[in-house]
Amino acid sequence: MEKQPDDLGKTDVTPTYENLYSDRSRTMKASEIRELLKLTQRPEIISFAGGLPNPDAFPVEPIKEIVQDLLKSDSKRILQYGSTQGVPELREEISKRLKNRWNMDGDPDNVLITVGSQQGLELLGRLFLDPTSTIVMEAPTYLGALNAFAVYEPRVSSIPLDDHGLDVDKLEEYLVNLQKHSVNLKFIYVVPTFHNPAGVCMAESRRHKLMDLSHEYDFLIVEDDPYGELRYTGEPLPTLKSLDKEDRVIYLGTFSKTLVPGFRIAWSFGPKPIINKMEIAKQAMDLCTPPFTQHIAKEYLRRGYIDEHLKTIISIYGNKQRIMLKAMDEYMPKEHIRWTKPEGGMFLWATLSDGMDSTEMFTDAIAENVAYVTGKSFFADDAGQNCMRINFTHPGDEKIVEGVKRLAPVIEKWGDKVRKMKDDTGSEVIQGV
Amino acid sequence: MEKQPDDLGKTDVTPTYENLYSDRSRTMKASEIRELLKLTQRPEIISFAGGLPNPDAFPVEPIKEIVQDLLKSDSKRILQYGSTQGVPELREEISKRLKNRWNMDGDPDNVLITVGSQQGLELLGRLFLDPTSTIVMEAPTYLGALNAFAVYEPRVSSIPLDDHGLDVDKLEEYLVNLQKHSVNLKFIYVVPTFHNPAGVCMAESRRHKLMDLSHEYDFLIVEDDPYGELRYTGEPLPTLKSLDKEDRVIYLGTFSKTLVPGFRIAWSFGPKPIINKMEIAKQAMDLCTPPFTQHIAKEYLRRGYIDEHLKTIISIYGNKQRIMLKAMDEYMPKEHIRWTKPEGGMFLWATLSDGMDSTEMFTDAIAENVAYVTGKSFFADDAGQNCMRINFTHPGDEKIVEGVKRLAPVIEKWGDKVRKMKDDTGSEVIQGV
């Protein structure tokens, strides 16, 4: 049967979307880590890859109680649209807690409620970054921050970390150089406490020095603190925001690790003019964060459940951290790998011998049913190939030991292989680390 | 006491944030409508201003039941992080409903769950718009879409509406002209069913013509449909997406009006390559929509509660619409104002005589304790000064009548005043409309 004229060229003419995309989205690709993480979801895999809280530690009973009470007493409000800045009583509870617990001065108008801290990062990118802007990030740094800022195409300078956090002397050298070239630094992004992925804390003296540098070179500080409440050993450190006499710090906090991630409730706490601009930007983005889950978080603070619950999490996670460190010590081939010994948070950061590549090794690890996140995901450039991030909060206690036992021989095999290659070529002799 | 050297220039040196803002955010301002809406929150005000569902119509009991069940059976999952694309079972329920109820073909991978449809708009702006891009919007159009797209600085061309929706002949003239100048149209944004703010529906013949034009001139269509389920009289119309043979339509739907706004659960339903790009963009923006409220929405569909509840809302809102239209007819000075007679949705759109200005009139209306949204908020240019949007779903039934009674004399006063000025100058004689 011949085609009717009406059909000619009419059906199955899918537009070529590629011609229509914006410049910024043309290069957008699914991140490699997402593809890797898909592999880690098989049930037989012991995954040290995710950054997930342990669901056994979710405060289900308090949530049940709160939701029932709220649906009885305040349903018309908690189920309706809310203000862009966030539920006022939640902002008040947060500012009170930040004051009482962390000595951070502010009131509810210093607080913007966001859909996860990720949205705080997105908003800061939007507010501050042009394609010519310069920012500093730690190396390694939080992968989600890299992604959030990348949309706005800044120049990212990386300053290395060591076991005591950001190397502030290297930062100072960099700032001197920047000033010579009359370049304006917009902000530095840091995770000073229980770093993701490195697990380390910025030493107190370095915190003071960073504040001094921010004054001297006139830049802002984005302090991302999702893990600050999760300390298992050692003494608390002051947040940068608590040392901030000049209103230069925007502090990002979240309920994802102290209540549950599934509510997506986080906050930005900063200078009012900035919070106000973030609010305006957020309005065009999603109107408001879900009032329903904001009200639950508010009651969770009001009823004082958070401190009780933190004790539980800290006990569970602290135990897992000890199990992990002990298993690493017992089973890992120390001539090929060293790792950080964090006092809190959710991650160890492991560094393999020079020449080893955690991405190459990944397929072998998956074959042994164990997973981690490859190190290079956490760098703005292509560094970190010989590193890996290891989570210890999500797997069950026995799984931690079993996972380390599975991973150790993979590392040994690749380490020996790389050493042999080096010996053969004679170019370099591994010293061990 | 003299200042110590350490203090010199150290304290109270608040940075001048203005120097640090990005170009795009430097011009960001709180919208005028937000400031106006703040005035309308006083309890003595009868507000026709908001776009809020009526909280008396919230399905509180079904939500209670669902939340209790989910916290019992599935707490570890609903309280954890989720995938960026959204809970798979929710995406499946949505694609099934779109097929069965609206004859829209697709599967769960055509669906992305977003934090309100507003986030869908934001993502589409990010994906498609460069500062040089051309898009078409209706005039008037949804204010939130204007704001979402404005961030990406497109050239917005406005095509007028009449009582039968978008004037597709004017659109065609415009497209011919655009083609002459070799300009590429990215997309047209439309609210074809129960338009916000105009309340009207695009006639079926115009829908077909719009689809034909999208083929001929090769552009995409963003179909925003928050109110399609809220029909009080007349016959259903096909969605543009259901007429879409070439995968050119991105359809935005939401639970904000059919369940509750406080969960912030909406969806984009479109071509898989576009949904996939939107997902990647969303990941950098907020990682995921709250799984907790997604799971509630999923159960709401699964248990078949939505259709029962829609009957309730339609009965309540349909009654309010009749009350509103009757009161308008009875009390409004028809020589100064005409209005649309919508068959569904949440709004009437009123047009005042030439020369009248709904913004000037606003203070008087507030003095009489009644509020509306000024018309010019809904235009990309400065048009619509003699228009206003009137919501009828949120106020109580008696308040609707009382509010119209308060508003009518304000309109009469300003109408008479403007007519007198015109008579005095002799420049023009109002004909009445």
Side-chain angles (χ1 to χ4, degrees):
Chain A
M1 195 183 103
E2 272 188 29
K3 271 195 170 181
Q4 295 303 305
D6 265 353
D7 288 328
L8 287 176
K10 273 274 190 167
T11 48
D12 298 328
V13 188
T14 303
T16 49
Y17 309 118
E18 294 298 329
N19 299 338
L20 294 170
Y21 290 134
S22 63
D23 289 341
R24 91 182 62 76
S25 69
R26 231 174 276 273
T27 56
M28 226 182 250
K29 277 185 303 209
S31 75
E32 200 178 334
I33 185 178
R34 293 185 72 202
E35 301 308 308
L36 291 184
L37 284 175
K38 279 183 192 165
L39 294 174
T40 69
Q41 314 244 316
R42 301 201 322 254
E44 64 274 24
I45 301 256
I46 294 177
S47 178
F48 300 143
L52 305 185
N54 195 303
D56 291 333
F58 291 160
V60 179
E61 290 308 317
I63 291 171
K64 260 187 205 161
E65 173 202 300
I66 289 171
V67 174
Q68 277 178 15
D69 289 351
L70 285 173
L71 281 172
K72 208 168 183 180
S73 66
D74 208 11
S75 65
K76 292 187 183 183
R77 194 164 162 234
I78 66 175
L79 299 174
Q80 188 57 281
Y81 286 104
S83 75
T84 305
Q85 194 177 356
V87 169
E89 299 94 317
L90 174 61
R91 291 187 284 112
E92 189 175 337
E93 290 297 325
I94 287 170
S95 65
K96 267 164 48 185
R97 184 171 176 85
L98 293 179
K99 176 66 190 159
N100 297 338
R101 175 125 176 69
W102 295 106
N103 200 26
M104 287 151 68
D105 285 321
D107 63 45
D109 281 337
N110 293 101
V111 179
L112 174 76
I113 307 297
T114 57
V115 180
S117 287
Q118 189 69 28
Q119 189 179 47
L121 299 171
E122 157 72 36
L123 289 166
L124 291 169
R126 179 164 293 188
L127 233 61
F128 291 109
L129 302 183
D130 294 307
T132 53
S133 305
T134 299
I135 59 173
V136 168
M137 299 178 80
E138 295 162 300
T141 188
Y142 170 53
L143 151 80
L146 279 171
N147 291 341
F149 300 149
V151 175
Y152 298 100
E153 302 169 64
R155 292 180 193 141
V156 178
S157 296
S158 301
I159 304 290
L161 291 176
D162 60 26
D163 285 349
H164 306 285
L166 179 75
D167 186 332
V168 286
D169 294 329
K170 290 229 168 89
L171 174 65
E172 187 168 18
E173 281 170 33
Y174 171 77
L175 291 166
V176 169
N177 196 33
L178 213 57
Q179 202 172 50
K180 265 190 209 149
H181 293 83
S182 303
V183 175
N184 191 7
L185 178 63
K186 295 273 185 154
F187 60 73
I188 180 170
Y189 168 83
V190 288
V191 187
T193 308
F194 312 129
H195 190 271
N196 178 4
V200 298
C201 286
M202 194 187 297
E204 186 162 349
S205 59
R206 293 190 182 185
R207 292 175 189 237
H208 287 284
K209 174 137 187 192
L210 177 56
M211 295 313 301
D212 289 347
L213 290 173
S214 76
H215 165 79
E216 199 173 335
Y217 293 90
D218 193 18
F219 57 86
L220 302 179
I221 297 171
V222 178
E223 177 179 26
D224 196 357
D225 190 24
Y227 315 107
E229 301 264 25
L230 305 181
R231 175 173 285 281
Y232 319 129
T233 58
E235 291 305 310
L237 288 159
T239 65
L240 295 170
K241 186 66 192 167
S242 72
L243 306 175
D244 179 20
K245 302 281 171 268
E246 301 177 349
D247 233 6
R248 291 185 179 278
V249 178
I250 302 119
Y251 174 95
L252 305 181
T254 178
F255 285 101
S256 288
K257 278 82 192 182
T258 58
L259 173 51
V260 294
F263 293 166
R264 310 300 298 120
I265 302 294
W267 66 89
S268 302
F269 179 79
K272 286 177 190 174
I274 292 175
I275 292 295
N276 184 250
K277 282 244 184 206
M278 289 174 82
E279 180 194 354
I280 296 169
K282 179 176 161 68
Q283 192 180 46
M285 211 174 265
D286 66 5
L287 300 182
C288 65
T289 304
F292 185 60
T293 54
Q294 286 188 66
H295 280 277
I296 302 173
K298 168 202 77 186
E299 284 300 315
Y300 182 71
L301 289 181
R302 265 199 187 163
R303 299 182 187 194
Y305 292 159
I306 187 167
D307 288 312
E308 207 50 50
H309 184 59
L310 275 172
K311 280 184 209 156
T312 310
I313 310 179
I314 286 170
S315 154
I316 296 172
Y317 290 177
N319 190 46
K320 287 180 186 294
Q321 172 242 33
R322 282 187 296 276
I323 293 171
M324 173 62 86
L325 287 174
K326 186 159 171 286
M328 293 287 284
D329 200 49
E330 199 164 336
Y331 299 107
M332 281 293 168
K334 296 195 191 61
E335 67 276 26
H336 298 310
I337 181 171
R338 62 192 157 91
W339 56 90
T340 56
K341 279 89 185 167
E343 300 187 326
M346 299 173 55
F347 307 107
L348 309 188
W349 179 247
T351 306
L352 304 168
S353 302
D354 280 349
M356 289 178 70
D357 184 330
S358 65
T359 308
E360 278 182 6
M361 235 172 62
F362 192 78
T363 318
D364 274 11
I366 290 292
E368 297 296 326
N369 290 326
V370 61
Y372 52 83
V373 182
T374 53
K376 68 176 182 184
S377 313
F378 303 98
F379 289 83
D381 48 32
D382 267 345
Q385 274 155 331
N386 66 327
C387 301
M388 49 171 66
R389 189 188 75 177
I390 294 176
N391 166 269
F392 57 80
T393 57
H394 192 257
D397 295 356
E398 302 80 32
K399 300 269 183 182
I400 293 176
V401 181
E402 177 58 28
V404 170
K405 280 168 138 174
R406 292 180 188 174
L407 186 56
V410 176
I411 291 171
E412 185 148 26
K413 183 186 117 186
W414 279 85
D416 289 347
K417 190 169 152 187
V418 167
R419 178 157 51 188
K420 187 162 181 306
M421 281 170 58
K422 287 185 188 166
D423 286 349
D424 289 350
T425 60
S427 66
E428 193 187 355
V429 179
I430 281 281
Q431 301 297 327
V433 274
Chain B
M1 198 182 101
E2 272 189 29
K3 272 193 172 185
Q4 296 302 306
D6 265 355
D7 288 327
L8 285 176
K10 271 273 191 171
T11 49
D12 299 328
V13 188
T14 303
T16 49
Y17 310 117
E18 295 297 330
N19 300 337
L20 295 170
Y21 290 133
S22 64
D23 290 341
R24 90 181 62 76
S25 69
R26 229 174 278 273
T27 55
M28 228 182 247
K29 276 184 304 206
S31 75
E32 198 177 336
I33 186 177
R34 293 185 73 203
E35 301 308 307
L36 291 182
L37 284 174
K38 279 184 191 162
L39 293 174
T40 70
Q41 314 244 315
R42 302 202 320 254
E44 64 274 24
I45 301 252
I46 294 176
S47 178
F48 300 142
L52 304 185
N54 195 302
D56 291 333
F58 290 161
V60 179
E61 290 308 319
I63 291 172
K64 259 188 206 161
E65 175 202 299
I66 288 171
V67 175
Q68 277 178 15
D69 290 352
L70 285 173
L71 282 173
K72 208 168 184 177
S73 66
D74 208 10
S75 66
K76 291 187 184 181
R77 193 162 164 235
I78 67 175
L79 300 174
Q80 188 58 283
Y81 286 106
S83 75
T84 304
Q85 194 177 356
V87 169
E89 300 95 318
L90 174 61
R91 291 187 285 112
E92 189 176 337
E93 290 296 325
I94 288 170
S95 65
K96 266 163 49 185
R97 184 172 177 84
L98 293 180
K99 176 65 189 161
N100 297 337
R101 172 124 177 72
W102 296 105
N103 200 28
M104 287 151 67
D105 284 324
D107 64 43
D109 281 338
N110 292 101
V111 180
L112 174 76
I113 307 296
T114 57
V115 180
S117 287
Q118 189 70 27
Q119 190 180 46
L121 298 172
E122 158 72 34
L123 288 165
L124 290 169
R126 179 165 293 187
L127 234 61
F128 291 109
L129 302 182
D130 294 308
T132 52
S133 305
T134 299
I135 59 172
V136 168
M137 299 178 80
E138 296 163 301
T141 189
Y142 170 53
L143 149 82
L146 279 170
N147 292 341
F149 300 149
V151 174
Y152 297 99
E153 302 169 63
R155 293 181 192 140
V156 178
S157 295
S158 301
I159 304 290
L161 292 176
D162 60 26
D163 285 349
H164 306 285
L166 180 74
D167 187 332
V168 285
D169 294 329
K170 289 231 169 86
L171 174 64
E172 188 169 19
E173 280 170 34
Y174 171 78
L175 291 166
V176 169
N177 196 34
L178 212 57
Q179 203 172 47
K180 265 189 209 150
H181 293 84
S182 304
V183 174
N184 191 6
L185 179 63
K186 295 274 185 151
F187 61 72
I188 180 168
Y189 168 83
V190 287
V191 186
T193 308
F194 313 131
H195 190 270
N196 177 4
V200 298
C201 286
M202 194 188 297
E204 187 163 348
S205 58
R206 293 190 181 184
R207 292 176 188 234
H208 287 285
K209 173 136 189 193
L210 177 56
M211 295 314 300
D212 289 345
L213 290 172
S214 76
H215 165 77
E216 198 174 335
Y217 293 90
D218 193 19
F219 56 86
L220 302 179
I221 297 171
V222 178
E223 177 178 27
D224 196 357
D225 190 23
Y227 314 107
E229 301 264 25
L230 305 181
R231 176 174 284 281
Y232 318 129
T233 58
E235 291 305 311
L237 288 159
T239 65
L240 295 170
K241 186 68 192 165
S242 71
L243 306 175
D244 179 20
K245 303 280 172 268
E246 302 177 349
D247 234 5
R248 292 185 179 278
V249 177
I250 302 120
Y251 174 94
L252 305 181
T254 178
F255 285 102
S256 289
K257 277 82 190 182
T258 59
L259 173 51
V260 295
F263 292 166
R264 312 299 299 120
I265 302 294
W267 67 87
S268 302
F269 179 80
K272 285 175 190 174
I274 292 176
I275 292 296
N276 184 252
K277 281 244 182 204
M278 289 173 82
E279 180 194 354
I280 295 169
K282 179 176 162 69
Q283 191 180 48
M285 211 174 266
D286 66 7
L287 300 182
C288 65
T289 305
F292 186 60
T293 55
Q294 287 188 66
H295 280 277
I296 302 173
K298 169 202 76 184
E299 285 299 315
Y300 181 71
L301 289 182
R302 265 199 186 164
R303 299 183 186 193
Y305 292 160
I306 187 168
D307 288 313
E308 207 50 51
H309 184 58
L310 275 172
K311 281 184 206 155
T312 310
I313 310 180
I314 286 171
S315 153
I316 295 172
Y317 290 178
N319 190 46
K320 287 181 187 293
Q321 171 241 33
R322 284 187 294 277
I323 292 171
M324 173 61 87
L325 287 174
K326 186 158 170 285
M328 293 286 283
D329 199 49
E330 198 166 335
Y331 298 107
M332 280 293 170
K334 296 192 193 65
E335 68 277 24
H336 299 310
I337 180 172
R338 63 194 158 88
W339 57 91
T340 57
K341 279 89 186 170
E343 298 186 327
M346 298 173 55
F347 307 106
L348 309 187
W349 179 248
T351 306
L352 306 167
S353 303
D354 280 349
M356 289 177 71
D357 184 331
S358 66
T359 308
E360 279 183 6
M361 236 172 60
F362 191 79
T363 319
D364 274 13
I366 290 291
E368 296 296 326
N369 289 326
V370 61
Y372 51 83
V373 182
T374 54
K376 67 177 183 181
S377 313
F378 302 97
F379 290 82
D381 47 30
D382 265 344
Q385 274 155 328
N386 65 328
C387 299
M388 50 172 66
R389 188 188 76 177
I390 294 176
N391 166 268
F392 57 79
T393 57
H394 192 257
D397 295 356
E398 302 79 32
K399 300 270 183 181
I400 293 176
V401 181
E402 177 58 27
V404 172
K405 279 170 141 174
R406 291 179 190 175
L407 186 55
V410 176
I411 291 172
E412 184 148 27
K413 185 186 114 184
W414 279 86
D416 290 348
K417 192 169 150 186
V418 167
R419 178 155 56 185
K420 188 162 179 308
M421 281 170 59
K422 287 186 188 168
D423 286 350
D424 287 352
T425 60
S427 65
E428 192 187 356
V429 179
I430 282 281
Q431 301 297 326
V433 272

